[in-house]
Amino acid sequence: MTPNPISPTIPLDSDGIHHGFLRLPYSRDDSAWGSIMIPLTVIKNGDGPTALLTGANHGDEYEGPVALQELTVKLKPEDITGRVIIVPAFNYPAFRAGLRTSPIDKGNMNRAFPGRPDGTPTEKIADYFQRVLLPMADIAVDFHSGGKTLDFVPFAAAHILENKANEAACFAAMAAFNAPYSVQLLEIDNVGMYDTAVEDMGKVLVSTELGGGGSATAKSIAVAKKGLRNVLIHAGILKGEMQIDPTVRLDMPDGNCFVFSENDGLYEPMVDLGEQVSQGDVVARVWPVDRTGIAPIEYRAKVTGLLISRHFPGLIKAGDCAAVIGLKVG
């Protein structure tokens, strides 16, 4: 198989704390022998589990990068047993540009797996994770939020899987993360996802959606920091006691949880995040933007539950997700 061109500038398996980069050669107009330098920290102390922690899988999502940057400063080798691999900005080109996808090749990192060692920069990064970093990991935490186009109640998520033993381990890690909301979901489009790559290897995965709007809040970052610490304790890597607070359990069993716009226009939310909705309730309206005197198009909930996500900008396009409803569990 073609070797991957990425090389770490620090050891991945030596005790202590090491800060460096994943260096991806990238020849371009302004640097003939240039590189993409993806920040990386590896902290190791003896034998034990390995956690692979990633943020900015999509470049306009910020809770993960903030929480992980702090971890690179605060976590010490003597605090852990095992290894922690920290990549605060998974899709580094997208992160630096403040975009969901890479400005170099328009690659969506969460649809690029298993990647290619001889492909685009995004595919090369995916391939390196697929073939080098993920096989090292026992548990992975991949931070997401809504970016510039969605807003979410803060939740941790685990997927419904065919491998029920791995599903149970993922659900236990999600419970340990202990976000204000905990969502079990059946992914409707999992081809090429990092999540799928992790789960297909039988690894434990916790994912999140912690806010949105292309920014972060003190509250959403606090959820990320607490959840990160809890998961490391749960995995047997970090010493300490978990902080467990009440969480609302939700299910997203199928596509009926999603409401998609079929019109371009001015988006009017009719329900705020976290509020109860019943099947048939109007959750959003879309007004025309090019004329007056025309009634809005109404979009209704197909299920009864809580509004857990909504379209964020004031303007919406046909095909955009307008709202997502989670079903209460228990």
Side-chain angles (χ1 to χ4, degrees):
M1 183 177 291
T2 302
N4 189 287
I6 293 175
S7 59
T9 65
I10 57 173
L12 300 178
D13 56 2
S14 297
D15 278 1
I17 183 166
H18 305 275
H19 305 292
F21 303 91
L22 297 172
R23 188 180 74 83
L24 169 58
Y26 176 56
S27 179
R28 55 192 189 271
D29 288 341
D30 64 343
S31 186
W33 282 359
S35 301
I36 298 170
M37 304 293 281
I38 304 168
L40 168 73
T41 290
V42 178
I43 306 168
K44 186 175 183 294
N45 183 22
D47 295 328
T50 292
L52 177 57
L53 311 175
T54 51
N57 186 322
H58 297 127
D60 58 353
E61 302 171 2
Y62 298 105
E63 285 84 359
V66 172
L68 293 173
Q69 284 282 22
E70 181 173 277
L71 195 67
T72 68
V73 173
K74 289 192 171 182
L75 190 65
K76 306 302 179 188
E78 58 267 26
D79 298 332
I80 69 169
T81 301
R83 177 173 52 180
V84 179
I85 302 171
I86 306 170
V87 185
F90 193 170
N91 192 340
Y92 188 66
F95 174 71
R96 289 301 302 268
L99 299 172
R100 180 176 177 84
T101 62
S102 172
I104 297 172
D105 55 24
K106 303 309 294 180
N108 179 342
M109 187 63 72
N110 215 27
R111 297 296 184 275
F113 280 80
R116 289 174 51 199
D118 57 352
T120 67
T122 300
E123 291 172 329
K124 289 173 180 176
I125 296 169
D127 177 77
Y128 187 81
F129 271 75
Q130 178 84 33
R131 289 202 280 154
V132 179
L133 294 184
L134 272 178
M136 297 179 180
D138 298 288
I139 187 168
V141 179
D142 189 38
F143 285 99
H144 287 264
S145 57
K148 294 176 180 176
T149 64
L150 290 170
D151 198 9
F152 288 89
V153 298
F155 68 76
H159 293 113
I160 304 295
L161 303 174
E162 291 184 9
N163 182 333
K164 293 306 176 184
N166 194 41
E167 176 186 284
C170 293
F171 281 7
M174 174 187 71
F177 190 100
N178 190 230
Y181 297 83
S182 299
V183 179
Q184 61 185 47
L185 58 94
L186 181 66
E187 193 67 54
I188 61 173
D189 178 24
N190 66 357
V191 176
M193 290 182 69
Y194 176 61
D195 309 49
T196 305
V198 178
E199 292 157 352
D200 282 352
M201 289 188 188
K203 312 289 186 176
V204 177
L205 172 72
V206 180
S207 186
T208 71
E209 297 289 357
L210 296 180
S215 186
T217 66
K219 286 184 178 180
S220 63
I221 290 170
V223 171
K225 291 179 180 180
K226 187 198 84 169
L228 192 55
R229 179 179 179 275
N230 277 0
V231 168
L232 290 175
I233 294 170
H234 169 76
I237 295 171
L238 179 65
K239 305 174 181 72
E241 297 291 329
M242 290 190 290
Q243 177 187 337
I244 300 297
D245 301 306
T247 186
V248 178
R249 287 288 308 277
L250 298 168
D251 188 13
M252 289 174 56
D254 55 44
N256 286 330
C257 294
F258 295 84
V259 179
F260 292 96
S261 178
E262 297 180 3
N263 304 85
D264 295 356
L266 175 65
Y267 176 80
E268 180 188 4
M270 301 299 290
V271 183
D272 286 329
L273 289 177
E275 291 186 355
Q276 177 77 28
V277 298
S278 297
Q279 183 178 2
D281 285 353
V282 177
V283 293
R285 303 197 298 182
V286 177
W287 292 86
V289 294
D290 57 349
R291 65 199 66 208
T292 59
I294 296 177
I297 304 297
E298 295 182 337
Y299 288 92
R300 298 178 181 272
K302 301 172 188 174
V303 294
T304 295
L306 299 182
L307 186 78
I308 62 172
S309 179
R310 50 149 290 195
H311 182 75
F312 187 78
L315 299 179
I316 195 168
K317 293 179 291 186
D320 287 351
C321 182
V324 182
I325 297 154
L327 284 61
K328 275 192 171 182
V329 175

